[in-house]
Structures are given as C-alpha cells and as structure tokens.
Amino acid sequence: MGGAARLSAPRALVLWAAPLFPAHIGPAPDPEDWWSYKDNLQGNFVPGPPFWGLVNAAWSLCAVGKRQSPVDVELKRVLYDPFLPPLRLSTGGEKLRGTLYNTGRHVSFLPAPRPVVNVSGGPLLYSHRLSELRLLFGARDGAGSEHQINHQGFSAEVQLIHFNQELYGNLSAASRGPNGLAILSLFVNVAGSSNPFLSRLLNRDTITRISYKNDAYFLQDLSLELLFPESFGFITYQGSLSTPPCSETVTWILIDRALNITSLQVTLCIPQPPFPSLSSLAGNSRKLLSQNPPSQIFQSLSGNGRDPRHPERRCRGPNYRLHVDGAPHGR
C-alpha cells in the first residue's frame, strides 16, 4: 500500500483516459462500480485493492484508513472480555427466503423484506438488521477467507452484513455513520460433513442456476440458525468495509468455530485448471461460477477477497450457544 500511495495524481488520472483510444470506446465506467479484486479483467485494467484508494477520492480510506479490514488476528494479542453478552438472533419464528445472486464479485444472498432478521448482543449496542449474506472463496482449499487466524486462512468465509436499524433507515446511510454496520463472519473448512444451511446454497442444482454474472435464483424455507455452530465464541473488533469505499463503520464479529462443507460442494465454486468443456461439467463441476455474463470469456469468481491487515489488540468473548428469538438454540 505504501508504494502505491506514492503514485502521482497525473498518472492516476491516466487510468480514466482509456476511452480516448479506439479499443476502449464505449460507456464510461460508473465510478462506484469501477473496482475489482483482480487488476486485469478481459485484458483491461480495473483497479484492484492496491489502487482502490487512488482512483476515487470517495475511497481514500482504502489507502489511508487506520482501521481497515479484513485482518489477520494474532490470538496472543486478543484480550478476553468475560462480560460480553451472547449473540441473539431474531427471525420472528419464520423461515428465511430471498434471492441468491451472482454479482460478478460474490455469491450474494439478499433476504426478502419479510421476515426481518435481526442480530443483537455481543459487542453490539443496537439491534442490526440483516441486509446481505455474502460468500467469499479462493482458488484452492485453505486460501479463500478474507480474515485469517494466526496467519492461517480458510477455504471460504461467509459474511452476514447487517445495518443499525435503530439509528439508520437503510444500509447505505448506515455505512456512512458511526456504529452503522455489523458483519458476522463464519469460516468454512472442507470436511466429510456439511453445514445444513450451506448445503441449501451450494448444492449443484442451485449453483448451476447462478453460473454467470447477474444470474439469480429464489430460495425459501431457510433456517438461518442452522448456519451457526452449536456453540462458539467470537472475536470482535472495530474495522471497515472490505470493499470500496472502505468505510470504517463496521463492528466485525468473527465466529471462532469453523463450519464444514464437503469437497463436492467446494468443487461447485472453486475452479481448478484445466477447465472442462460445458459438455463435461457432469464429471467435473469446477467451472460453475463466472464473474462475467455468458457472452464474455469465462473468468472464475474465486479469489474474491481483500488481503488482511495486521491489527492491534482485539476482544474475545466467552463461549455461548446462539440465542434465537430470546431462547437458546438447540439441535
């Protein structure tokens, strides 16, 4: 980041001059969307994480912020706080439904307006409403999560993004204000068993319906409480969005017990070369998620995360069962 920050203003401005050349004639990119996790898309430069803070003044925190996320948590630097209360999940006793999207950057689940899903407790002083569930994964097992624990990554990371509904009317407003956002993060390993909630999202029938950017598929009758381990502790810290504009308004809660998915489910998301032809997908399904629409060349959606920073001390809470609608969740 330090080297990139010395890029002079004139050189940074050249990035926006591409439409002057015939090979790049077309609509100017929306500044709000002109970013990527990789610096090269379809042979064109699109700013990756080292450049986020340089190409848009509204994203300056990505380069100069002091509480940037994700982080690499060193457990020896974590302070134990026995007074943190348990996390409480409120679903109104209803099953969750919503739309699973391939956004071109993430697999994203957007819940329907009803039922409203809230989380409170832990380090949160307010009730926060669920706005999005986001899945991040890598190109290989053990290297897909944004956050790390003691320099160790995980195969995937599930992020539940909430906004403070007591102080703000929506996610956009909350992302710009103090105590605005809360993101619960769950790590995922590859094992012989599978988390039942993730099984609904990552089965072959579902994933093949969102293979390309902007594909969407409606899901219902989801029990969100099944996403969480039976018992767990958590690590919490004050950080930022891990995507532009990198606003430092996020309370992160990292669940300290990883989930499991099977190797078969992971192959639905993580491509490994050589890529098969479409006719051979039945035998090798590692080419199922693209960051592009079908009219463009296939580019894997994997590797959709920002590299972790190295934080100061964080707090660790005691072990709890998840409380659902005010009662401990049993299995």
Side-chain angles (χ1 to χ4, degrees), residues 75 81 95 126 144 178 190 299 327:
L75 293 180
D81 183 353
K95 296 291 184 70
Y126 303 91
V190 177
Q299 285 191 298

Side-chain angles (χ1 to χ4, degrees), residues 65-315:
K66 302 301 183 184
R67 293 191 288 124
Q68 289 294 291
S69 299
V71 299
D72 181 355
V73 177
E74 296 183 47
L75 293 180
K76 66 181 180 182
R77 298 173 62 84
V78 174
L79 301 179
Y80 178 71
D81 183 353
F83 300 106
L84 285 173
L87 290 172
R88 294 183 177 273
L89 180 71
S90 173
T91 63
E94 298 182 54
K95 296 291 184 70
L96 192 64
R97 60 184 183 274
T99 304
L100 194 69
Y101 283 101
N102 179 340
T103 69
R105 296 188 179 107
H106 311 102
V107 173
S108 176
F109 177 78
L110 301 181
R114 294 288 184 272
V116 173
V117 177
N118 299 326
V119 66
S120 58
L124 303 176
L125 302 177
Y126 303 91
S127 175
H128 289 67
R129 179 182 298 186
L130 179 64
S131 179
E132 179 186 356
L133 182 151
R134 184 177 293 174
L135 176 65
L136 303 101
F137 53 91
R140 58 186 176 84
D141 296 352
S145 62
E146 285 195 313
H147 288 84
Q148 296 181 4
I149 305 293
N150 285 341
H151 316 303
Q152 179 66 48
F154 298 82
S155 294
E157 182 173 337
V158 178
Q159 296 176 355
L160 299 165
I161 302 170
H162 306 73
F163 72 91
N164 185 333
Q165 63 177 349
E166 296 186 50
L167 298 183
Y168 306 98
N170 53 55
L171 181 71
S172 178
S175 67
R176 299 189 296 270
N179 296 307
L181 303 178
I183 302 180
L184 274 63
S185 185
L186 297 106
F187 301 117
V188 182
N189 284 324
V190 177
S193 60
S194 177
N195 175 271
F197 185 90
L198 292 180
S199 292
R200 288 290 309 280
L201 269 61
L202 299 180
N203 67 76
R204 184 180 180 85
D205 180 64
T206 300
I207 288 297
T208 53
R209 297 173 187 267
I210 61 164
S211 294
Y212 296 99
K213 181 178 180 180
N214 297 325
D215 284 353
Y217 183 58
F218 187 78
L219 293 170
Q220 56 187 345
D221 295 326
L222 298 170
S223 298
L224 184 60
E225 61 269 21
L226 296 180
L227 177 63
F228 291 83
E230 184 174 355
S231 63
F232 57 87
F234 54 82
I235 297 167
T236 181
Y237 74 97
Q238 297 299 312
S240 75
L241 291 171
S242 58
T243 58
C246 305
S247 307
E248 295 182 336
T249 60
V250 181
T251 299
W252 283 90
I253 301 173
L254 312 180
I255 305 302
D256 68 356
R257 183 165 296 183
L259 310 177
N260 290 332
I261 58 175
T262 65
S263 58
L264 176 61
Q265 290 168 333
V266 129
T267 60
L268 295 175
C269 299
I270 303 175
Q272 291 186 349
F275 293 136
S277 65
L278 291 175
S279 61
S280 67
L281 281 177
N284 185 344
S285 56
R286 289 181 177 256
K287 184 190 175 184
L288 291 181
L289 289 173
S290 174
Q291 59 185 291
N292 295 323
S295 60
Q296 297 179 5
I297 189 172
F298 179 95
Q299 285 191 298
S300 168
L301 197 65
S302 63
N304 56 348
R306 189 185 189 193
D307 290 336
R309 276 65 183 152
H310 297 278
E312 298 300 320
R313 291 185 175 183
R314 310 302 179 193
C315 290

